[in-house]
Amino acid sequence: MSWIKEGDLNLLEKISANVLKAGPMPKHVAFIMDGNRRFARKKNMERQEGHMQGFNKLAETLRWCKHLNIPEVTVYAFSIENFKRTKEEVDGLMELAKQKFERLLEERDNLEKHGVCIRVLGDLNMLPLDLQELIAKAVVTTRAHNKCFLNVCFAYTSRYEITNAVREMAWGVEQGLIKASDVSESLLSECLYSNNSPNPDLLIRTSGEVRLSDFLLWQTSHSCLVFQSVLWPEYSFWNLCEAILQYQLNHKSIQKARELHQEHQALQQLEADRACVAEHLQHHGNGKPADAQRRQEALLHYTACREDRVQDFLEALKHKRNSFFSDLCSKPVLA
Amino acid sequence: MALLYGLLWRLLLLLVHVNTALVSWLRVRLRSWKGRLWERAVAALLLPVALAGFPDQHKKLNHNPDATANPVTGNRDDGRRARWLSDGKALEKLPVHVGLLVAEEEPSYSDVANLVVWCMAVGISYVSVYDNHGIFRKNNSRLLEEILRQQNLLGVDGSKYSIEFLSNGSDKHNVVSCRPTVKVLSPEDGKQSIVQAAQQICRSVENKERSSKDISVSMLDVLLRAPCRPTETSPMTTCWTLCRDTLPASRDLDNDKSSEWTSPETV
């Protein structure tokens, strides 16, 4: 079944969408698509069929998001913890993923028409090589599209993502691109797999479970979390509207918390820069305490240098990640 | 048209607010009305369950004198403590670590202290308390006082806690009810502590003490779980262990459940 479902909303859905759009709308929604297996049990289907239905529901949800002008969606497709399931189920999921990515490549014209950019986040080297190659092709093919964005988290957990970000920063230090003192919250955020996206405004988890399951822990620190008891394959347009309404009700207080946090971050960065400058002046000064003007000049200079260093490092990181995908694409396809 | 939708949206929000207010008002009213009727209904429904359902609870109370290190005396406090602990064990699952996120602008110290003491009484070993402005962290001596006060009021005496093995024969059911630990957290203990750990790692990479390839999830985990250390803003350590005994807690429980990261779950 296709990734893209065409079709408009019916009249009632259109009216409700317009009413919701009169208020603040989330620009990035994340879904934990839980409940496929329970759905399969409930309908006496095979588990595999449950996962298939789950994928169909994903395509439908993307259509709703498009009509609601939500440009970015992130989904939790496969956790590193899921590798612990039975070999049969894991192989089945890998096979499903392969089919879906192959299908995606067949639909590339349609994807271009709708401007869909697909990104896959996770420790992809844990996946079978043929799946990695398919993923790389999908990512490279849709890289330039910019109307809407779908981030699929595959072989992903938040802890691995954060650890990877720390490793990348350490790599930057090893390469002499940045200093250890440049490490900050915003730099770490730029090194995550999701660095090309803004933080999710809304996180929705289905099937009634109330836990985070190691998904986007860093990015959802100031997001609206909504837990709904419906099983994922049974998700409806009205469930989505309900979640968005929750977001709208809490919008102001979340905005306030975000702004406070950003102010605090900026202050911390300023203090860190000041401390570095003070240390520098102490070491290279001539024993006399520097006057306020000299300190201020040194601070501005240091901040500018730091920002340049960080930019160069992030460019190098981006290049490294793009090469990973391009290299996979240029490998001969396994027959 | 946009104006109409705007009005409809405001009306929708108003309806939701009215609905929420109505529901909470009803809940308060029903609680007082439900009082007598509810209790009788619950008693009637649960009586058969009580007779048939929790035989373990009775058995464990009877076995206590044999199993515990401290023999249960006729002391009223010990009886209450044993009952609370067995209440906890009668539950199918008991969390090892409970986190309290207090979102009020002006948190109530006595309410939080009550929650902490109840958790400890039921057998929960680790309780973390967090508030968004770092109020508890700044005033942790006041919180500690309040907790000790509530402990005394309830007759839960910290100094009597020691490691008790409530065993019913097989290893699987050993419950180590060890000394409860309360940790007070503030926003600095969130992302900032991860950033500090990252800085530490990068500094050691800068000094060529390790390579970026050595960095793993478990390395970061160990750094983040480093024992409670006093911070600059609060020289007093903000991690208390409410027991004067110095018996070590079981490492197995630590590794399994009480983690500063969320425990990974299958999706």
Side-chain angles (χ1 to χ4, degrees):
Chain A
M1 281 276 281
S2 170
W3 284 70
I4 306 220
K5 277 208 157 72
E6 306 279 356
D8 267 337
L9 302 174
N10 67 34
L11 184 62
L12 190 56
E13 287 172 349
K14 250 195 214 141
I15 294 176
S16 314
N18 283 333
V19 171
L20 279 180
K21 282 194 269 189
M25 288 298 277
K27 297 191 186 50
H28 180 180
V29 178
F31 289 95
I32 301 182
M33 310 180 291
D34 201 5
N36 294 333
R37 295 189 295 175
R38 253 167 288 180
F39 175 79
R41 258 204 308 276
K42 185 169 148 185
K43 303 279 180 194
N44 288 319
M45 292 171 173
E46 288 293 317
R47 264 190 195 172
Q48 193 63 7
E49 182 62 27
H51 289 302
M52 281 285 296
Q53 292 297 327
F55 177 81
N56 292 339
K57 188 51 64 172
L58 172 61
E60 217 178 333
T61 306
L62 294 175
R63 180 176 70 94
W64 296 329
C65 287
K66 180 163 162 286
H67 288 295
L68 286 164
N69 294 345
I70 297 173
E72 187 144 17
V73 171
T74 302
V75 296
Y76 202 4
F78 192 86
S79 162
I80 292 179
E81 291 297 309
N82 294 153
F83 279 117
K84 293 185 184 152
R85 292 186 182 173
T86 62
K87 183 169 185 323
E88 192 194 334
E89 194 177 348
V90 173
D91 288 345
L93 285 165
M94 293 294 140
E95 195 49 49
L96 178 64
K98 265 181 239 170
Q99 282 171 14
K100 292 308 167 191
F101 279 105
E102 270 162 3
R103 183 62 202 265
L104 190 112
L105 291 168
E106 285 165 21
E107 292 183 311
R108 75 182 74 187
D109 292 331
N110 211 3
L111 289 170
E112 188 168 342
K113 176 176 132 200
H114 292 275
V116 181
C117 172
I118 309 264
R119 298 179 190 133
V120 180
L121 318 180
D123 281 24
L124 302 178
N125 38 32
M126 288 186 170
L127 299 170
L129 192 58
D130 49 359
L131 182 53
Q132 282 187 51
E133 286 169 3
L134 281 169
I135 286 174
K137 278 208 175 67
V139 167
V140 168
T141 311
T142 58
R143 192 179 274 158
H145 303 163
N146 58 3
K147 285 232 204 81
C148 44
F149 303 90
L150 172 62
N151 307 309
V152 181
C153 289
F154 217 85
Y156 173 95
T157 57
S158 202
R159 289 193 294 170
Y160 273 73
E161 184 184 30
I162 294 173
T163 305
N164 181 270
V166 175
R167 207 180 291 127
E168 300 287 21
M169 290 192 294
W171 169 77
V173 168
E174 260 172 2
Q175 301 292 312
L177 293 163
I178 46 168
K179 300 190 193 170
S181 55
D182 296 338
V183 169
S184 66
E185 191 181 316
S186 60
L187 183 60
L188 206 154
S189 304
E190 293 286 337
C191 295
L192 296 170
Y193 296 135
S194 61
N195 60 352
N196 289 319
S197 313
N199 288 338
D201 293 312
L202 174 58
L203 170 67
I204 298 172
R205 180 173 190 145
T206 52
S207 88
E209 298 294 331
V210 183
R211 50 179 195 250
L212 301 171
S213 296
D214 220 346
F215 181 57
L216 300 181
L217 297 177
W218 186 274
Q219 296 90 328
T220 54
S221 59
H222 290 84
S223 308
C224 181
L225 310 179
V226 175
F227 298 96
Q228 299 181 289
S229 51
V230 60
L231 297 175
W232 175 251
E234 294 172 337
Y235 204 66
S236 75
F237 179 74
W238 306 110
N239 293 128
L240 182 57
C241 287
E242 199 189 314
I244 293 174
L245 196 59
Q246 279 300 316
Y247 167 77
Q248 292 178 331
L249 288 166
N250 293 298
H251 175 75
K252 281 218 176 77
S253 51
I254 291 184
Q255 274 305 100
K256 206 171 95 177
R258 271 192 191 178
E259 278 159 22
L260 223 73
H261 182 75
Q262 271 163 358
E263 275 170 24
H264 185 69
Q265 250 191 294
L267 221 74
Q268 271 186 321
Q269 183 67 77
L270 189 61
E271 277 176 28
D273 283 348
R274 279 216 180 101
C276 284
V277 165
E279 205 185 311
H280 182 88
L281 285 175
Q282 226 184 2
H283 282 156
H284 298 272
N286 51 5
K288 274 195 301 184
D291 62 24
Q293 179 163 4
R294 184 146 174 260
R295 270 207 307 273
Q296 187 62 15
E297 276 170 14
L299 181 66
L300 286 169
H301 177 76
Y302 178 83
T303 306
C305 286
R306 178 179 54 76
E307 282 169 2
D308 284 337
R309 267 200 307 270
V310 163
Q311 274 309 109
D312 290 339
F313 162 67
L314 291 174
E315 272 300 314
L317 182 61
K318 184 170 158 190
H319 182 78
K320 192 165 84 147
R321 284 184 174 168
N322 286 346
S323 308
F324 171 76
F325 286 114
S326 318
D327 290 346
L328 275 170
C329 277
S330 58
K331 280 209 178 102
V333 180
L334 294 168
Chain B
M1 207 53 177
L3 215 65
L4 174 66
Y5 284 126
L7 279 169
L8 279 171
W9 179 73
R10 273 179 234 288
L11 184 64
L12 180 63
L13 286 196
L14 183 68
L15 279 170
V16 172
H17 280 129
V18 165
N19 182 45
T20 319
L22 200 67
V23 165
S24 27
W25 179 81
L26 268 174
R27 205 180 282 156
V28 170
R29 300 291 289 174
L30 278 174
R31 202 181 294 156
S32 53
W33 166 77
K34 266 205 284 192
R36 287 163 301 139
L37 265 157
W38 189 246
E39 273 168 12
R40 272 188 242 160
V42 163
L45 285 168
L46 286 188
L47 191 57
V49 178
L51 288 174
F54 298 135
D56 295 333
Q57 191 177 353
H58 298 296
K59 271 192 219 147
K60 272 160 189 159
L61 277 174
N62 291 332
H63 282 157
N64 264 348
D66 306 325
T68 53
N70 299 326
V72 176
T73 62
N75 188 311
R76 188 188 66 145
D77 283 346
D78 283 341
R80 263 203 288 187
R81 218 164 26 93
R83 202 183 66 233
W84 289 326
L85 280 173
S86 61
D87 275 347
K89 282 179 66 282
L91 296 170
E92 202 182 296
K93 275 188 194 174
L94 191 67
V96 172
H97 184 174
V98 167
L100 298 173
L101 273 75
V102 182
E104 334 270 302
E105 285 295 325
E106 290 180 24
S108 156
Y109 288 84
S110 57
D111 286 339
V112 173
N114 269 332
L115 271 164
V116 169
V117 171
W118 295 336
C119 285
M120 283 159 39
V122 138
I124 295 171
S125 318
Y126 296 87
V127 181
S128 295
V129 179
Y130 170 90
D131 81 286
N132 205 26
H133 301 285
I135 296 177
F136 284 129
R137 188 63 108 89
K138 286 187 212 126
N139 301 307
N140 59 12
S141 47
R142 183 170 159 200
L143 183 61
L144 180 58
E145 259 172 48
E146 196 63 39
I147 291 177
L148 292 172
R149 197 169 75 89
Q150 295 295 341
Q151 261 190 320
N152 291 332
L153 279 176
L154 288 174
V156 173
D157 186 0
S159 67
K160 284 227 180 84
Y161 272 98
S162 62
I163 297 208
E164 290 178 73
F165 287 88
L166 297 158
S167 154
N168 67 353
S170 74
D171 280 337
K172 272 205 181 131
H173 298 281
N174 271 344
V175 170
V176 180
S177 92
C178 71
R179 56 204 187 137
T181 305
V182 179
K183 191 156 186 172
V184 178
L185 301 169
S186 64
E188 295 137 23
D189 298 302
K191 287 180 176 176
Q192 199 50 34
S193 69
I194 297 178
V195 171
Q196 275 165 8
Q199 273 171 346
Q200 215 180 319
I201 292 176
C202 285
R203 264 195 295 269
S204 65
V205 167
E206 213 166 39
N207 298 332
K208 309 266 194 284
E209 286 160 21
R210 56 161 74 106
S211 140
S212 65
K213 293 191 182 35
D214 301 331
I215 297 171
S216 64
V217 175
S218 41
M219 177 195 283
L220 208 50
D221 213 25
V222 164
L223 269 175
L224 288 168
R225 287 194 208 207
C228 309
R229 52 201 181 281
T231 62
E232 280 145 25
T233 49
S234 148
M236 198 175 118
T237 179
T238 48
C239 171
W240 316 305
T241 309
L242 288 147
C243 170
R244 279 149 238 177
D245 297 22
T246 51
L247 295 160
S250 160
R251 285 308 295 172
D252 294 331
L253 284 178
D254 272 355
N255 285 338
D256 260 352
K257 303 279 161 53
S258 69
S259 166
E260 290 184 57
W261 297 89
T262 53
S263 213
E265 297 276 1
T266 53
V267 172

